[in-house]
Amino acid sequence: MSWHPQYRSSKFRHVYGKPASKEKCYDCVPITRNVHDNHFCAVNPHFIAVVTECAGGGAFLVIPIHQTGKLDPHYPKICGHKGNVLDIKWNPFNDFVIASCSEDATVKIWDIPKHLLTRNITTPKKELLGHVRRVGLIEWHPTANNILFSSGYDYKIMIWNLDTKEAVISKPVKILDVHKDVVLSMSFNTDGSLLATACRDRKIRLVDPRAGTVLQEASYKSHRVNKVLFLGNMKKLFSTGTSRWNNRQIALWDQNDLSVPLLEEDLDGSSGLLFPFYDSDTHMLYVVGKGDGNIRYYEISCEKPYLNYLMEYRSHLPQKGIGVMPKRGLEVSACEIFRFYKLVPTKSLIEPISMIVPRRSESYQEDIYPLTTGAQPALTAQEWLSGINKGPLLVSLRPGSGAMNSLPQFLEPEPLMKTTDLSQHQGCGGKMPLEESQKPSETEESRKKLKVEEKLVKNEQMCHSGDFDIFECPPPKTENELLQMFYRQREEIRRLRELIIQRDVQIKQLELEIKNICTDPGSY
């Protein structure tokens, strides 16, 4: 193992891992016993999905992200597969759509309801039939909407366009038949124009997915690759695997020259797989060991030594799989820059682990939260298939900077106060000259009224933000939580009453002003 410098100037040098308290963990979750080398967990700001044990087929659970604590043993499952579920991935542009693949050689797309599940879901939204052997990997395209990649044990990668009305799709738009063995890992570059794969023949390939051609191929004998990852816009690839002596090993590659790695490093002699995760906003790389409780993290730089070791999070609880929360679901007020969801099958537990930058200030830290990938697609499926490339649409994580929902939002115009002719009011019939002479004062008054209305609407929205919702406010589990909810709702009722009284006063004032204008003879 190489020597790591003790001191280095970096704002992320003191990042530490903070495990969630027991109340914020997910307990009594029947995690799968499958030995397939996948994450078995997928997370978004609304749900956590985890592959589970199920008799007579494959299934997975979808739990609201705030519904922590003990899970009901009879909690409904998503159980439409005939074989074990091997991989699950949330749609990056719709938090209520998830894809799953299985040993039954199918890929299924599921619609998850917004309300709490009350029964098992067995009918998928779409079913993709193309592979002849089990499907081990699925990946959504990072910038194009409704483009899904699947990889099976038939050595083929299939590209699917889900922008169709058909419930069963049997013909993929493209088949990549460039591998001689099972694909172990797939990773896209930032705009999704290139695909990196790791194969069981121990080679890394850089593929143009639309042309179906191999651009680069690494056949380096000393590094037997298992997982490969694009490092954002750094034009580099990162891989994990084993050395000739079966030590766990990491390697860094130049995207344009895969003949020899830029860097190669042995970690330890454990036998478990290493899962890599990269945060392009902070240029931090996380390496998670399967079968142990360790998470190593590094900082990537453009210059040598490229890989700068920061710290290691250690735990006595071994992880079988891991899920990662997208950046838009993090708690920026706590300076959280990454969040893992660790699967511990020995305790039937899912434990969130937050990676935190220690800061004294409670204000928004703009230097650690640059613009990040949002929840809106940059391209349609047809645009990407036609050859267009476009980077992801970026958003700010600053609270109140804009909507972070991954569902398309249709903004309705705010209810504006209609300006009525004075002739419609009592005692004001047939006085057009009067109306014209009063136009400037009326426009000023209408502007004031609009400002008042906008303020009232904003206040109402603020007050209604505490309405009962399974995502924002999970059902109370203890007497203390019930009391807190009761007091909060009582406070909201009090505020609403105050708003109604204010509005009544404003209405009366406006009525008096209108009456005075209509009846005052000095205004002619």
Side-chain angles (χ1 to χ4, degrees), residues 48 123 169 182 204 232 264 278 301 303 332 389 393 413 422 430 436 465 474 502 504 512 523:
I48 176 169
T123 307
I169 304 173
V182 178
I204 297 173
E264 200 177 5
Y278 181 64
S301 60
E303 300 170 355
V332 295
N389 293 325
L393 299 181
L422 290 178
E436 289 175 3
S465 63
Q502 286 177 15
D504 287 342
L512 278 171
S523 63

Side-chain angles (χ1 to χ4, degrees), residues 98-115:
I98 190 170
S100 63
C101 64
S102 166
E103 289 181 350
D104 62 8
T106 66
V107 178
K108 296 181 191 287
I109 313 298
W110 307 87
D111 265 341
I112 306 301
K114 297 177 188 178
H115 55 77

Side-chain angles (χ1 to χ4, degrees), residues 105 107 130-138 148-160 172 174-186 195 197 199 207:
V107 178
H131 292 279
V132 293
R133 296 183 65 188
R134 60 179 173 171
V135 186
L137 280 174
I138 47 176
L148 182 70
F149 283 59
S150 65
S151 170
Y153 277 63
D154 52 8
Y155 310 161
K156 293 176 182 175
I157 295 175
M158 296 189 180
I159 307 174
W160 305 89
K174 185 79 178 176
I175 298 176
L176 306 180
D177 195 3
V178 296
H179 298 88
K180 299 174 183 177
D181 211 326
V182 178
V183 176
L184 302 175
S185 174
M186 294 190 291
L195 178 71
T197 63
C199 186
V207 182

Side-chain angles (χ1 to χ4, degrees), residues 231-251:
L231 298 182
N233 287 322
M234 306 279 287
K235 292 188 180 291
K236 290 181 177 60
L237 296 173
F238 179 83
S239 65
T240 64
T242 54
S243 68
R244 286 180 176 175
W245 316 110
N246 282 333
N247 291 325
R248 292 202 293 190
Q249 192 179 60
I250 58 175

Side-chain angles (χ1 to χ4, degrees), residues 339-357:
R339 190 191 303 163
F340 293 100
Y341 286 80
K342 174 177 168 179
L343 306 187
V344 187
T346 54
K347 292 185 175 288
S348 298
L349 183 74
I350 303 175
E351 181 186 37
I353 299 168
S354 298
M355 309 306 292
I356 292 173
V357 179

